[in-house]
Amino acid sequence: MSEHAEKQARSAQSASREHVKKPGWLTVNVLNRAVAWMTRRGLSVWGSRVLAVRGRKSGEWRRTPVNLLTVDGRRYLVAPRGHVQWTHNMRAAGGGQLHLGKKVEEFTATEVADDDKPAILRAYLKRWKAEVGVFFDGVGPDSTDQELRAIAPKHPVFRVHPADGR
């Protein structure tokens, strides 16, 4: 593991203990299920996909709905609720699958350094603030880079790369 990757992992472990916002009953039992149901049928809701990533302990595929963000032609997965199970699994697996209907895209992922997150977090909040803004401690798309950088350690961001390297 590179020095940068080790530093990110230590930062993530520290932040994960202090910042995990669990979704409420409505989100888990209604919203996530509805978005996942539509996405499984090929209907993307504002960039929605179903993320499949192998569990770091079990090796079993774990699935969760996510919002796939594109910024300057690059694609990202942002964890609005903080260091949750899929982010830990992503670090261990180094990639996974994005599902939209019957289409399955294999990918590898690299974690984005905290200093490189402000523009990505700003774009994410611009697009999905109504859905996820409550998880960002009052920081929004109009916040300064300094404010976005301050919350960056709490929100893992992964750059998505096609598995075929394109």
Side-chain angles (χ1 to χ4, degrees):
M1 183 182 287
S2 72
E3 183 178 329
H4 173 73
E6 287 178 20
K7 184 178 176 185
Q8 285 289 112
R10 281 193 305 276
S11 173
Q13 288 171 348
S14 173
S16 70
R17 285 189 284 274
E18 62 193 49
H19 185 272
V20 172
K21 296 201 176 184
K22 297 197 181 232
W25 184 91
L26 180 68
T27 299
V28 170
N29 293 295
V30 178
L31 298 176
N32 279 359
R33 287 182 182 183
V35 169
W37 184 86
M38 289 187 288
T39 304
R40 282 192 305 270
R41 280 146 187 83
L43 301 169
S44 177
V45 181
W46 287 12
S48 67
R49 299 291 189 278
V50 173
L51 169 67
V53 64
R54 292 225 182 245
R56 64 194 179 283
K57 297 175 186 172
S58 70
E60 300 287 324
W61 284 104
R62 303 295 183 197
R63 289 175 173 74
T64 190
V66 294
N67 294 320
L68 183 62
L69 174 70
T70 301
V71 177
D72 297 330
R74 295 180 175 151
R75 298 179 317 147
Y76 300 93
L77 293 173
V78 176
R81 291 180 182 91
H83 297 268
V84 293
Q85 294 302 315
W86 75 259
T87 64
H88 299 299
N89 291 337
M90 183 72 72
R91 284 186 195 101
Q97 301 173 335
L98 291 170
H99 295 252
L100 179 59
K102 293 183 181 190
K103 181 181 175 196
V104 178
E105 176 190 354
E106 300 272 343
F107 71 92
T108 60
T110 53
E111 192 160 4
V112 175
D114 292 341
D115 285 340
D116 298 330
K117 291 180 186 176
I120 300 164
L121 293 174
R122 179 174 284 110
Y124 189 85
L125 287 164
K126 189 174 280 191
R127 179 137 190 194
W128 290 292
K129 184 177 183 205
E131 179 184 339
V132 300
V134 68
F135 302 115
F136 285 86
D137 300 327
V139 174
D142 298 326
S143 296
T144 66
D145 282 357
Q146 182 179 3
E147 291 168 321
L148 288 161
R149 205 169 279 112
I151 64 158
K154 298 177 182 179
H155 301 281
V157 175
F158 294 89
R159 180 156 177 222
V160 173
H161 309 275
D164 62 11
R166 282 190 262 157

